[in-house]
């Protein structure tokens, strides 16, 4: 009945999907399609560790002044680094690290970040995800914190994820 009364508001695509509302706009030739992430060559944990050291150094920090958050022989798909930093300078240091990650070809992950980009930023490349973030005493590791009130932790966390290995539930929609 609705299709008879409002023929411009209900459309069935070639693939059988029903669209309600105004006509579906056709993509403009000037609109760029998203570029899929390159997966070759795959990155190793050692390569990601080097990326992190380079970005930390580009921010004017000494990677040796921080500490790894994952032991080198603990996992091939996780890595990390953290250091206590002054609240007054940590945002500039975080920005410099992020700028260097982008220079090295890491892609900002716009869907994975919190609404406030000063809290954290995540990047992806070659199956790896890097999270650059700060965390204070309340979120510090369970060991007693050596942070003063004017400090926070600057942390880089790297995870290699194979999302194709994550099982997704089957969803069936029946019309009619």
């Amino acid at each position: 009945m609705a299709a008879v009364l409002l023929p411009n508001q209900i459309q069935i695509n070639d693939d059988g999907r029903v669209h309600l509302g105004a006509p579906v706009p056709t993509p403009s030739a000037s609109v760029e399609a998203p570029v899929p992430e390159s997966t070759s060559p795959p990155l190793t944990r050692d390569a990601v560790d080097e990326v992190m050291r380079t970005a930390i150094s580009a921010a004017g920090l000494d990677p040796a002044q921080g500490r790894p958050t994952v032991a080198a022989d603990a996992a091939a798909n996780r890595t990390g680094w953290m250091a206590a930093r002054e609240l007054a300078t940590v945002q500039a240091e975080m920005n410099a690290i992020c700028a260097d990650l982008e220079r090295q070809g890491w892609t900002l992950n716009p869907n994975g970040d919190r609404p406030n980009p000063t809290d954290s930023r995540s990047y992806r490349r070659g199956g790896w995800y890097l999270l650059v973030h700060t965390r204070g005493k309340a979120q510090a590791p369970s060991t007693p914190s050596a942070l003063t009130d004017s400090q926070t932790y600057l942390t880089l966390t790297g995870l290699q994820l194979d999302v194709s290995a994550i099982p997704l539930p089957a969803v069936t929609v029946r019309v009619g």
Side-chain angles (χ1 to χ4, degrees):
M1 174 91 174
V4 174
L5 296 175
L6 303 167
N8 292 336
Q9 301 297 312
I10 298 175
Q11 299 174 3
I12 299 176
N13 296 343
D14 293 337
D15 62 0
R17 292 184 182 175
V18 177
H19 176 76
L20 302 175
V24 179
T26 55
S28 166
S30 65
V31 175
E32 291 184 30
V35 177
E37 179 189 10
S38 172
T39 56
S40 65
L43 294 174
T44 64
R45 179 189 166 159
D46 289 340
V48 174
D49 283 339
E50 183 58 31
V51 162
M52 290 173 30
R53 280 190 295 275
T54 300
I56 292 163
S57 295
L61 304 173
D62 179 2
Q65 295 299 313
R67 63 181 174 93
T69 57
V70 178
D73 58 351
N77 63 348
R78 293 182 295 130
T79 188
W81 176 89
M82 70 185 290
R85 304 302 304 154
E86 292 297 320
L87 288 170
T89 60
V90 74
Q91 190 60 52
E93 294 163 348
M94 186 174 150
N95 290 343
I97 288 170
C98 291
D100 194 71
L101 290 174
E102 291 175 21
R103 182 195 62 76
Q104 293 186 58
W106 288 76
T107 304
L108 183 62
N109 182 11
N111 298 322
D113 287 340
R114 297 180 202 168
N116 184 353
T118 62
D119 292 336
S120 69
R121 280 180 248 164
S122 61
Y123 292 86
R124 64 181 183 187
R125 181 174 160 211
W128 280 84
Y129 293 82
L130 283 180
L131 177 65
V132 182
H133 61 107
T134 61
R135 60 184 186 178
K137 283 184 179 183
Q139 301 155 329
S142 59
T143 57
S145 175
L147 291 180
T148 66
D149 289 339
S150 67
Q151 292 180 316
T152 189
Y153 285 112
L154 174 59
T155 307
L156 278 77
T157 304
L159 297 170
Q160 183 181 34
L161 300 176
D162 180 8
V163 288
S164 66
I166 299 173
L168 297 175
V171 176
T172 304
V173 177
R174 295 179 189 205
V175 178

